[in-house]
Amino acid sequence: MSGTRPGRTLLRQEVVEGIKRYILDERLRPGDPLPTEPALCEALGASRSSVREAVKILAALDIVEVRHGHGTYVGRLSLSALVESLTFRGLLSPDDDFQVMADLVDVRELFERGMADRIISSLSTEQLDGLERLVETMRATGAGEGHGFVAADRAFHALLVAPLGNDLIGQLSMAFWDVYTIVAPHLDGFTHADETATIAAHQNIVDAARAGDVTAFLKALDEHYAPVRRRIAEARSRVADPAAPA
């Protein structure tokens, strides 16, 4: 901001770093309380206004959580700020949005392919049954219904990586769907053939996981992601050259 003095900005950033160092030095975990505002002021040698501004910055990043009337706590340390940035970037430029989505497809497939052995060995019978039910939901609702089909697809991939117990992977995987809701209107129509192929690929993923067949699992992932990449590429081409035939 034009009215912000350089010294003030530096001090605020120093307080931000000081609070982060305190969390690390004290080995605090998500949900643990932080010292009161006066205690932080004294410990960091900062004014109340600087501490309040630093806490606002850290709260926006989900590093701390302010519970009004109760105090300040270590936040969930989620990727919410990253997801917000990715989705907002898509609103600024459709082409950027397609690139973000293409990148996220790569990330999702990288996780699922790279950890295929762990995913297959970790999925319980109950989770496999849950994946099967989600495929049935996709089959019953159909893409024409819209939300139900996409919601089942989203839930499928969330459950697929859930056994890994890795919050980072789970959040990045789900970031794809937040961007997808913005990009989807710009993609080619989802044909009946696309719907049939998508459902079949998901069923093949479940069948391969249930059989413990890593090779078949990887093949099913290829079948699933190839059409997605094609639709993104076609949409980007239309944006780049609107006069080109569809």
Side-chain angles (χ1 to χ4, degrees):
M1 296 292 181
S2 58
T4 302
R5 301 192 307 273
R8 176 182 172 84
T9 302
L10 177 62
L11 180 58
R12 179 177 58 195
Q13 191 57 40
E14 287 175 342
V15 177
V16 167
E17 295 303 320
I19 295 174
K20 287 160 65 177
R21 282 197 305 273
Y22 178 88
I23 293 172
L24 293 174
D25 291 344
E26 298 298 319
R27 299 180 180 276
L28 300 182
R29 308 298 299 170
D32 288 346
L34 286 171
T36 62
E37 186 178 278
L40 282 175
C41 292
E42 182 177 353
L44 300 173
S47 66
R48 286 200 172 195
S49 61
S50 294
V51 168
R52 286 173 184 170
E53 290 175 1
V55 167
K56 287 180 181 178
I57 292 171
L58 293 171
L61 297 173
D62 207 14
I63 293 175
V64 304
E65 177 189 357
V66 178
R67 302 177 190 173
H68 296 289
H70 296 279
T72 304
Y73 298 78
V74 178
R76 296 171 299 156
L77 308 177
S78 71
L79 295 179
S80 57
L82 173 61
V83 172
E84 285 291 328
S85 176
L86 289 173
T87 53
F88 184 70
R89 175 181 167 184
L91 291 172
L92 297 179
S93 167
D95 186 58
D96 276 354
D97 209 17
F98 296 136
Q99 184 59 53
V100 170
M101 190 173 183
D103 290 346
L104 286 169
V105 168
D106 287 342
V107 171
R108 281 180 60 194
E109 186 174 11
L110 178 65
F111 288 152
E112 294 174 359
R113 289 183 65 87
M115 297 193 171
D117 284 311
R118 284 182 55 189
I119 290 173
I120 291 174
S121 63
S122 301
L123 282 167
S124 66
T125 300
E126 181 180 354
Q127 288 167 326
L128 287 166
D129 291 343
L131 291 170
E132 192 91 50
R133 286 193 295 272
L134 287 168
V135 175
E136 286 301 321
T137 298
M138 294 172 69
R139 190 174 286 116
T141 57
E145 191 274 336
H147 178 71
F149 187 93
V150 172
D153 198 346
R154 176 186 179 121
F156 181 97
H157 288 277
L159 181 54
L160 191 66
V161 299
L164 298 175
N166 189 312
D167 288 341
L168 182 62
I169 289 177
Q171 290 180 57
L172 280 174
S173 181
M174 291 303 97
F176 165 87
W177 294 100
D178 294 315
V179 176
Y180 177 83
T181 59
I182 296 174
V183 179
H186 304 290
L187 296 179
D188 284 332
F190 195 67
T191 66
H192 180 69
D194 290 329
E195 175 186 322
T196 301
T198 297
I199 293 172
H202 283 78
Q203 184 64 61
N204 290 340
I205 289 172
V206 179
D207 292 343
R210 201 182 287 278
D213 189 334
V214 176
T215 301
F217 185 87
L218 295 176
K219 182 175 183 293
L221 288 177
D222 287 338
E223 294 169 350
H224 174 47
Y225 285 111
V228 179
R229 287 196 174 89
R230 172 184 55 77
R231 295 177 68 213
I232 295 173
E234 290 172 352
R236 293 186 73 178
S237 296
R238 287 199 311 276
V239 171
D241 186 6

